[in-house]
């Protein structure tokens, strides 16, 4: 019993003593909000998500419906300096617009 207790204490204390410190995660929502804070130098961060939106407009007896699905909206960030970062992003869109019952589809990166 004593050996198990000592082993448990050593395992937990070793993790505390040799654990790495990491900076706070600075996130934003790709293509919705951008963080004003750059990530630390030599750090790499990936942010991803998806969006589904559906809208319906009626104007002068014309009905327009828009339905979009954005998959994999991804933003990659790399810290260059304390106030400078490199950003690269992309997304895949599947969209459908219907005007007076006539659909038009859009799909692509």
């Amino acid at each position: 019993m004593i050996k198990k207790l000592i082993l448990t204490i050593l395992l937990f204390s070793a993790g505390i003593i040799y654990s790495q410190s990491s900076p706070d995660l600075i996130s934003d929502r790709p293509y919705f909000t951008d963080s004003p804070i750059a990530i630390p130098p030599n750090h790499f961060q990936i942010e991803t998500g998806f969006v589904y939106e559906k809208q319906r407009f009626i104007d002068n007896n014309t009905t327009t419906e828009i339905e979009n699905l954005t998959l994999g909206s991804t933003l990659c960030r790399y810290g260059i300096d304390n106030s400078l970062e490199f950003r690269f992003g992309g997304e895949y869109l599947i969209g459908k617009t219907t005007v007076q019952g006539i659909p038009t589809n859009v799909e692509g990166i």
Side-chain angles (χ1 to χ4, degrees):
M1 178 68 182
I2 277 286
K3 288 182 182 180
K4 288 182 182 179
L5 180 62
I6 292 172
L7 181 62
T8 303
I9 291 172
L10 287 175
L11 286 175
F12 283 111
S13 65
I16 294 169
I17 293 170
Y18 293 109
S19 66
Q20 297 179 13
S21 63
S22 61
D24 293 335
L25 180 65
I26 302 165
S27 65
D28 54 36
R29 182 73 171 95
Y31 308 105
F32 283 96
T33 61
D34 290 325
S35 174
I37 302 170
I39 61 174
N42 299 320
H43 283 78
F44 182 73
Q45 182 172 308
I46 298 175
E47 302 165 2
T48 187
F50 73 94
V51 177
Y52 174 76
E53 59 185 344
K54 186 173 184 177
Q55 301 174 349
R56 184 175 187 197
F57 304 101
I58 299 174
D59 185 33
N60 297 333
N61 296 326
T62 302
T63 303
T64 303
E65 294 180 1
I66 300 171
E67 187 173 3
N68 292 326
L69 177 61
T70 305
L71 300 171
S73 57
T74 303
L75 177 63
C76 298
R77 301 168 67 188
Y78 178 75
I80 297 171
D81 194 6
N82 286 328
S83 60
L84 182 65
E85 69 183 18
F86 174 75
R87 291 176 169 226
F88 178 78
E91 61 188 12
Y92 189 80
L93 173 70
I94 301 170
K96 179 180 178 183
T97 303
T98 305
V99 179
Q100 292 299 97
I102 302 171
T104 303
N105 296 324
V106 175
E107 187 172 332
I109 295 176

